[in-house]
Amino acid sequence: MLVDAFLEVLNLWVLVAAITGIVSGIIIGAIPGLGPTMAIALLIPVTFSMEPIPAIILLLGVYQGAIFGGSISAVLLNVPGTPSSAATAIDGFAMARRGEGGRALRFALYASVIGNIFSCLVLMALAEPLARFALDFGPAEMAMLMLFALLVIVLFGGGSKLDALIMVLVGACAGIVGLDPISGTPRFTFGSFAFENGFQLIPVLIGLFAMSEVLLQAFDREPLVGDVEVPPLKSSVVRFAELWRMRVTLLLSSVIGTFVGILPGIGSTVPAFMSYNLARSRSADADRFGKGAPEGVVAPEAANNAVTGGALVPTLALGIPGDAVTAVILGAFMLHGLAPGPFLFRDHGLEVYAIFEALLLSSIPTVILGLLFFRVAIHVTRIQPRHLLPAITILAIFGAFSVNNSLFDVCVMLGAGVLGFLFRRANFPVPPLLIGLILGAPFEQSLRQALLTSGGGYGIFVGSPITVGLLALIGLSLAISLALSLRKART
């Protein structure tokens, strides 16, 4: 299997897709205000005519490149290109101010690659066994698993738990529009045939993350990047011995990023700050942090790039997205006939392992392209996102239309864009809405199938060791969330 998958990776179009994705991702990540979620949502329709492996590699390349690209503007301008790069800016910008911006970017690049390699290896080791274990899940087990995932998103996604709960419920309600999966009865269609198929995922994705960003930028009169004086990037070298001295920090940060990334809805910002705080607490000279310590760049960059592979574990093995970006990537898998979940490895094992190996090997072009990009990085970070709004709008409209050649999908995209804009202006988190939309309908179907199987008895949800274990995890999550809330209230 691995050898056959490697032969698939040697395809020229896979290499072209990987390089194109990485370059695009670095550029998009380096422009403050844009991000991988919006970029991938816009690029999904572009992949319609591509084979599954190059298409997914293109999107994963954008994901991988954008996470690193966010550190470029964080280091040079103190303006994180992506939220997860905020921790990198603390010491990265301090290094740039004293003329070590080139060293900071190299530390960020090498840490990003190390974190990505580690998480890819974990992904290859865990995803298939987890999917094989999930083959034993019946409707009751799947319902409890999705309930646990939605609960984790609400409790630990950051921000207000009530806001996250509202967004999950809004997404779940949007997901049940259309034909009832059990009886086939139309629900919330208002007598319109167009609503019977429900809201297609791709137009909603494009609206929530691309069109809403267009509206936000259009109504925001303050430029994200002002006239900041940036010291010139001097020639610099990061030696292997310097990275070797930080090997424990790199390893711990990669572990944190990977395994926190596996938890649904957490994202990459939380593990980045967790790793930064751990590196500072372990340091013999913690006072250097905040003043330009290389460890303060290495730790968050290794962590937020390790999230890439970690978040893909539940996405591919269980069909439960780890964060907003992998929720979009899940839509891309479904679009190309690779439905994530327990049967993915059984039915499409060759394609999946080819994607894994390509993601692992893409670390090589990431290093080369990252080093080449440093010289022009400062010019890219000066691009104002509002200058790209016309192109983004056109791509969003054509992308939504091309899913089914339907103007209804364009209307759905525009409606999702307006709703996303309003929610983001009101500081409601959008990722829980998206994950609620994806998991709401499968959760309802599994719940109803379990109740039909048991004749309406709720004992089926405590009738197997798996459901009991998942109930225990739900209880443990509630207890941890309550303990953290009480601790925060005391301090």
Side-chain angles (χ1 to χ4, degrees), residues 126-138 141-142 145 317-318 341-343 345 464-467 469-470 473:
L126 292 185
E128 185 175 8
L130 183 60
R132 197 181 302 120
F133 173 68
L135 287 172
D136 295 331
F137 284 20
E141 288 81 4
M142 289 304 299
L145 177 65
L318 304 173
F343 297 103
F345 289 85
S464 74
I466 296 175
T467 55
L470 288 168
L473 287 175

Side-chain angles (χ1 to χ4, degrees), residues 11-26:
N11 187 319
L12 176 63
W13 291 111
V14 173
L15 177 62
V16 171
I19 293 175
T20 304
I22 292 167
V23 172
S24 303
I26 293 174

Side-chain angles (χ1 to χ4, degrees), residues 59 197 229 242 357 403 422 435 486-487:
L59 301 177
N197 289 326
E229 184 179 349
E242 294 178 271
E357 292 179 8
V403 175
L422 295 174
I435 297 176
L486 292 174
R487 181 181 176 185

Side-chain angles (χ1 to χ4, degrees), residues 328-419:
V328 180
I329 291 173
L330 182 145
F333 269 87
M334 295 170 64
L335 188 69
H336 288 278
L338 307 175
F343 297 103
L344 178 64
F345 289 85
R346 187 193 69 183
D347 299 337
H348 303 284
L350 179 65
E351 291 88 344
V352 174
Y353 274 101
I355 291 167
F356 287 173
E357 292 179 8
L359 188 61
L360 183 64
L361 295 173
S362 65
S363 299
I364 299 171
T366 300
V367 172
I368 298 170
L369 295 170
L371 292 172
L372 293 175
F373 189 74
F374 286 161
R375 289 296 173 188
V376 297
I378 186 60
H379 303 294
V380 173
T381 58
R382 295 291 189 186
I383 297 175
Q384 292 291 342
R386 65 184 62 191
H387 298 158
L388 304 175
L389 298 188
I392 293 173
T393 304
I394 292 170
L395 283 173
I397 292 171
F398 277 99
F401 180 79
S402 62
V403 175
N404 294 308
N405 294 330
S406 167
L407 286 176
F408 176 74
D409 287 338
V410 176
C411 295
V412 169
M413 182 273 293
L414 294 174
V418 172
L419 280 177

